[in-house]
Amino acid sequence: MYEYSSDGASGDVWRMRRDGAARREPVFVGSRFHGADLARMSLTPRQDAGAFCVENASGSTLFLSQLPMTSSKWLADPVRDVVSAEWSSDGKNVVFSQLGADKRPSHVYILAVGDARGPRLLYEEQDTRFVVDVQRSKNGRFLMVNSNTPTTSKVHERVSLRDLSDTVF
């Protein structure tokens, strides 16, 4: 397993083995990732792919990449206006929350890596007072879709991350 770090200004992301090996390996390097936010990075359980939300002046974009990144080829087309993302346990699907037309995080989608059809809507928050995000449970076995206001929080579903392909909220 690895620990991930960023050098800050350039947006370069590196990884180091947790077993004490001192060699730092590049995950992705280059100014096109300036502004990478490591707090919004999700890895597959095997740590062989990552979902990176990169912010810049025009908003946030989700990139899915093999790790370490050895080419500029993505696992799926980049997705704009993503707020949070989590992988399924098998590393074949990523679930993410995205801004709606009203610029509020109100939609949750699932994207099967390699599926040409693109993201599929899992949940839409109709109440404009709430915003949504996706989050793994502490034990890593479940995905939670959270709706939040400044004073209220609710969890819509606790879905097993083993198989998300047939899940609809």
Side-chain angles (χ1 to χ4, degrees):
M1 293 304 212
Y2 296 92
E3 290 184 18
Y4 289 78
S5 63
S6 173
D7 69 1
S10 73
D12 296 349
V13 176
W14 304 84
R15 71 180 186 182
M16 290 181 69
R17 284 189 150 321
R18 287 188 183 158
D19 62 9
R23 197 170 72 105
R24 195 170 78 151
E25 301 173 8
V27 174
F28 57 72
V29 178
S31 60
R32 91 192 254 197
F33 296 107
H34 179 72
D37 182 354
L38 285 182
R40 293 186 27 220
M41 175 175 73
S42 176
L43 303 175
T44 59
R46 293 189 324 248
Q47 293 192 352
D48 60 348
F52 303 91
C53 291
V54 178
E55 291 201 31
N56 59 33
S58 62
S60 176
T61 303
L62 175 70
F63 294 94
L64 304 179
S65 173
Q66 288 293 126
L67 296 178
M69 182 184 278
T70 55
S71 74
S72 61
K73 184 179 178 191
W74 303 115
L75 295 176
D77 290 336
V79 181
R80 306 261 318 138
D81 299 327
V82 171
V83 177
S84 59
E86 293 291 346
W87 286 93
S88 62
S89 296
D90 62 8
K92 294 179 181 178
N93 301 290
V94 65
V95 176
F96 60 91
S97 61
Q98 187 177 38
L99 299 178
D102 60 359
K103 298 297 181 194
R104 175 180 60 91
S106 57
H107 294 78
V108 176
Y109 292 90
I110 184 169
L111 175 64
V113 175
D115 186 345
R117 294 176 295 177
R120 182 171 56 95
L121 183 66
L122 291 179
Y123 177 76
E124 180 177 359
E125 177 59 68
Q126 298 290 332
D127 190 333
T128 59
R129 297 173 298 164
F130 287 84
V131 297
V132 296
D133 65 60
V134 294
Q135 179 181 16
R136 265 185 201 270
S137 62
K138 287 188 180 190
N139 67 11
R141 293 176 41 216
F142 298 97
L143 176 75
M144 297 172 290
V145 176
N146 305 305
S147 288
N148 303 294
T149 71
T151 58
T152 305
S153 177
K154 58 185 175 181
V155 177
H156 291 282
E157 284 289 337
R158 223 175 73 154
V159 178
S160 173
L161 285 169
R162 290 187 193 275
D163 181 25
L164 286 168
S165 58
D166 296 323
T167 302
V168 178
F169 294 104

